[in-house]
Amino acid sequence: MTADDGTRIAYVDEGAGEPILLLPGLGYASWSWTRQVGSLSRHGRVLAVDNRGTGRSETPEGPYTIDQMALDALAVASVASGPVHVVGASMGGYIALTLALRNPAAVKSLTLIASTSGGPGSTPVPESTLRAWAAAGVMAPEDYARATMPLSFAPGWTAEHPAEFEELLQLRLRHPTSSRAWTAQFAACADYLEIGAPPGDIDDIPTLVIHGTADRVVPYDNMSHVASRLPRAKQITLRGAGHLCWIERDASVNQALVDQIALAV
């Protein structure tokens, strides 16, 4: 798929029926939905995006913006020839919410996982996490991932699930994200968090918000902040789950997504 600025955007396409668009987080790609694609493809057509700069997508020069990545996602959604169920995690949630607000007719349902609507009143990335990212910034991709990725899980999760962690690392490293692309995406996130999601009304779109209480990247307090922007959204709290709650609690998240899709059909 080619974005409006000529950037090639890659995506996974599995299943048939109701179109489900999966948008990954900062520096991540479609691999991060590995526990969702197979399950959801039994209920619809899954389109799992590699955001610009990640996975098999091209890496154009920056700057990147959340608005541009929302247009990238919209381009992928266009293969479905109709409105899609949009699911975004972390930065993917910023993209998903922006897509819905800018193009509500393109969205059949909206799910935000471990995300925020940003702007005044939102809770920023903790300083301890920012320091860890900065300290690891000079490392090679494998060392960087191994040093920082545990922060995205609940405390102790990687030690309790070493084989699963190694499997996810290998998926991530098949197409590692360059430091240039990560920095461009991070800057886009920073702008979004400062300014907030664009104006708009999506009260008619069935919306679901999922968040773990042990999130050390986008703190759980952001869930109530999203609720102030999307008061009709259904909320699911995952007690003790970290930022990558859709991986840690995949069975619960997948069932919630299936239910959300069924509700909006």
Side-chain angles (χ1 to χ4, degrees), residues 31 37 46 141 166 182 190 223 236 241:
W31 66 265
V37 171
V46 177
E166 289 298 325
W182 190 94
M223 190 177 204
I236 295 178

Side-chain angles (χ1 to χ4, degrees), residues 99-181:
L99 171 59
L101 290 165
R102 299 287 197 206
N103 302 274
V107 180
K108 188 174 286 191
S109 74
L110 174 67
T111 300
L112 308 177
I113 305 175
S115 197
T116 178
S117 55
S122 62
T123 303
V125 179
E127 284 296 326
S128 57
T129 299
L130 291 173
R131 287 195 298 270
W133 287 349
V138 297
M139 296 179 178
E142 180 173 357
D143 295 331
Y144 178 87
R146 195 173 292 281
T148 62
M149 198 170 169
L151 289 170
S152 294
F153 290 102
W157 189 92
T158 53
E160 295 166 5
H161 303 83
E164 294 175 60
F165 180 56
E166 289 298 325
E167 178 184 354
L168 291 164
L169 274 176
Q170 294 311 308
L171 289 173
R172 176 175 178 167
L173 293 170
R174 285 180 185 173
H175 301 282
T177 301
S178 69
S179 60
R180 178 168 64 87

